[in-house]
Amino acid sequence: MNIVCIGSGYVGSVTGAAFSALGYKTTVIDINESKVALLNSGQSPIYEPGLTELIRAYIGKTLFATTSYEAVKSADVIFIGVGTPSRPDGSVDLSYIKAAAGSIGKSLSRDRFTVIVNKSTVPVGTADLVSSIIEKESGLRAEHQFTVISNPEFLREGYALEDVFFPDRIIIGSVHHAAKDRMRQLYNSIVYREGYEAAAKYFYFKHNPEAPQAKYFETDTKSSEMIKYAANAFLAVKISYINEVARLCESLGANVPDVARGMGMDSRIGEKFLEVSSGWSGSCFPKDTAEFLHTSQQYGSELTLVKTAMQSNERMHAYVVEKIQHRLKSLHGKSICILGLTFKPNTDDARKTQASYIIARLIELGAHVKVHDPQGMEMFRSLNSSLSVEFCKSPQEAAEETDMVVLLTHWADYQRLDWTKVAKRMKHPFLFDTRNVLEHHEMERAGFQYEGLGLRKYQDLKVSELTKLLV
Ligand code: UDX
């Protein structure tokens, strides 16, 4: 089977590398010449653990990268994995999808049946839109010479290869028999782990042949498109819920890690996505919740829970700033160290990160902000050029002479720091761990006045007063 992936971002490059490692001839097409050149030189266009190694192993063998749409002619399956950014009103901008559909249409073969797969997160009905564009451009008949189906991608940044090789589920949205057969044939390699021995040599993670098999679920196209949004919005609601519970824990003197643990023991709730943070962010949840809400409003069925979770998430960012303010009193002339600019560890992605909001607010309130991130400084700098912050080469340098360290992203590097040395370099050793990942007794022994979010020990902070400050 010949595979084509349109787009060399997260979805396209990870999907392309994975199928090429499983023995399929896979061509990644991108209009961006420099990304194609990177791939051809054996490098990854994105920061993702293990991806460069995989690309280097297969490029020129089963993996190919090009700016030309020629490979579309001999493709059996074409994955569309281009970006779907948000417009200011929350609706999704489908211009890259439309452009990709147009280019596919111009190159599609008359002599074979091609399955075109929407893997990008796209609004319900996009498969029909893509189909109509291809029909118009190619003059071919949809459902006879080609079909467009949905197969949403659930990869998490930082764990993308694990999610691709060991997914929880594979969702196929199509009622077309031949397309369903072809996708079953293709995904057999993942469900039954065919060809994994060769690929596993390049896994950066521990290959576990005993891991549960992926669930394979076929449904109609629209339901499949909806599953992606409904799942991401549900996870965002779940995080916002535990974040609100954390705030209440502070007021009442309860301990949110214990509350989350006890809740998660109920298999109906599950233990995952109950970790407290300064709010969810990144390139998926903010965009997907906004689009899902926008669609629901357009169709007169407003998703009020999603809307509330979005508002609650903004309140969580603000709450973090209020806690810093409460601890340092006035922020005028204070120096604050922010550790972690990416929306989560193991990625260089600093798009839509809460760090932007929190830092901007701290500067507005008169603070000087020093920052460090193991991978995300470059992207953060380019996206936030209006923010006047001091970028530092190491967390130690960022903490130097500051009044408080705020841990926003729980990179393993930060968890392994010699915190005693960090505390000694600070003006005032206050440490605010918004992810509750550092052990507070250890931090106190290191010389810090430590606080987290929703932790029992800090009920004496009278944080309930803070909530009054929140608008
Ligand atoms: C998400 C989905 O998990 C993935 O299935 C989908 O395909 C794309 O969107 P991703 O955006 O990479 O993946 O990150 P994820 O790990 O889900 O985290 C999203 C945000 O929620 C991050 O800001 C993270 O720090 C935060 N989070 C996550 C919490 O605050 N608490 C948690 O318990 C889990």
Side-chain angles (χ1 to χ4, degrees), residues 212-424:
Q213 203 179 61
K215 295 184 182 84
Y216 194 84
F217 180 52
E218 291 170 346
T219 179
D220 63 274
T221 312
K222 288 190 171 139
S223 302
S224 169
E225 289 171 332
M226 174 80 105
I227 285 169
K228 173 68 193 247
Y229 281 109
N232 271 3
F234 182 84
L235 292 172
V237 169
K238 193 174 179 186
I239 301 166
S240 281
Y241 180 71
I242 200 65
N243 280 343
E244 290 208 355
V245 170
R247 300 209 295 258
L248 190 57
C249 281
E250 292 196 349
S251 304
L252 300 177
N255 199 35
V256 80
D258 292 349
V259 175
R261 195 157 171 220
M263 283 168 61
M265 284 172 184
D266 183 332
S267 58
R268 292 170 303 177
I269 295 174
E271 61 187 10
K272 293 182 181 159
F273 277 64
L274 287 177
E275 282 166 22
V276 172
S277 60
S278 54
W280 41 267
S281 56
S283 54
C284 292
F285 285 2
K287 174 170 84 69
D288 296 352
T289 46
E291 162 57 26
F292 205 30
L293 177 64
H294 179 82
T295 303
S296 72
Q297 287 166 335
Q298 271 191 324
Y299 286 85
S301 291
E302 187 178 68
L303 290 159
T304 53
L305 281 179
V306 176
K307 187 179 181 182
T308 307
M310 291 163 73
Q311 289 163 348
S312 164
N313 199 46
E314 282 174 18
R315 269 209 308 281
M316 201 62 204
H317 301 342
Y319 185 74
V320 164
V321 175
E322 299 293 351
K323 275 193 71 151
I324 299 171
Q325 234 182 332
H326 186 266
R327 171 60 77 184
L328 296 180
K329 314 293 180 235
S330 163
L331 294 188
H332 266 286
K334 298 281 165 46
S335 179
I336 298 173
C337 160
I338 298 286
L339 296 184
L341 300 173
T342 53
F343 76 107
K344 63 174 192 177
N346 299 326
T347 174
D348 64 351
D349 198 343
R351 289 173 291 175
K352 300 264 177 206
T353 162
Q354 62 270 60
S356 314
Y357 168 83
I358 291 169
I359 292 171
R361 200 60 199 115
L362 294 175
I363 295 172
E364 251 172 52
L365 294 166
H368 171 67
V369 180
K370 297 171 78 181
V371 302
H372 176 265
D373 189 280
Q375 296 292 338
M377 291 211 280
E378 208 178 302
M379 194 186 293
F380 187 85
R381 194 198 303 261
S382 68
L383 295 173
N384 298 280
S385 50
S386 60
L387 287 184
S388 150
V389 294
E390 192 180 331
F391 290 91
C392 300
K393 289 196 185 68
S394 68
Q396 291 85 352
E397 188 190 322
E400 186 87 46
E401 283 300 303
T402 56
D403 297 280
M404 185 188 244
V405 167
V406 182
L407 182 83
L408 285 186
T409 317
H410 48 306
W411 283 93
D413 292 15
Y414 296 149
Q415 295 177 54
R416 288 191 295 258
L417 272 184
D418 182 341
W419 283 100
T420 311
K421 284 194 182 150
V422 176
K424 286 199 180 117

Side-chain angles (χ1 to χ4, degrees), residues 123-245:
V124 176
T126 304
D128 292 345
L129 172 74
V130 169
S131 189
S132 64
I133 295 173
I134 295 178
E135 216 167 28
K136 196 162 143 246
E137 288 294 339
S138 64
L140 303 181
R141 281 175 67 207
E143 314 314 325
H144 292 272
Q145 286 148 305
F146 73 93
T147 186
V148 181
I149 73 164
S150 157
N151 166 220
E153 182 53 72
F154 297 104
L155 61 83
R156 294 161 303 162
E157 291 183 22
Y159 299 91
L161 291 176
E162 282 177 71
D163 288 346
V164 161
F165 285 108
F166 295 94
D168 283 343
R169 82 291 212 192
I170 295 159
I171 308 284
I172 302 292
S174 171
V175 289
H176 193 292
H177 289 296
K180 287 201 289 183
D181 281 349
R182 190 167 298 173
M183 295 311 283
R184 267 182 232 144
Q185 201 189 330
L186 180 63
Y187 274 116
N188 265 351
S189 4
I190 289 178
V191 175
Y192 300 107
R193 299 181 189 151
E194 291 159 3
Y196 271 39
E197 299 72 34
K201 277 194 289 217
Y202 305 101
F203 288 174
Y204 75 98
F205 51 90
K206 200 170 173 308
H207 172 39
N208 174 15
E210 305 303 319
Q213 203 179 61
K215 295 184 182 84
Y216 194 84
F217 180 52
E218 291 170 346
T219 179
D220 63 274
T221 312
K222 288 190 171 139
S223 302
S224 169
E225 289 171 332
M226 174 80 105
I227 285 169
K228 173 68 193 247
Y229 281 109
N232 271 3
F234 182 84
L235 292 172
V237 169
K238 193 174 179 186
I239 301 166
S240 281
Y241 180 71
I242 200 65
N243 280 343
E244 290 208 355
V245 170

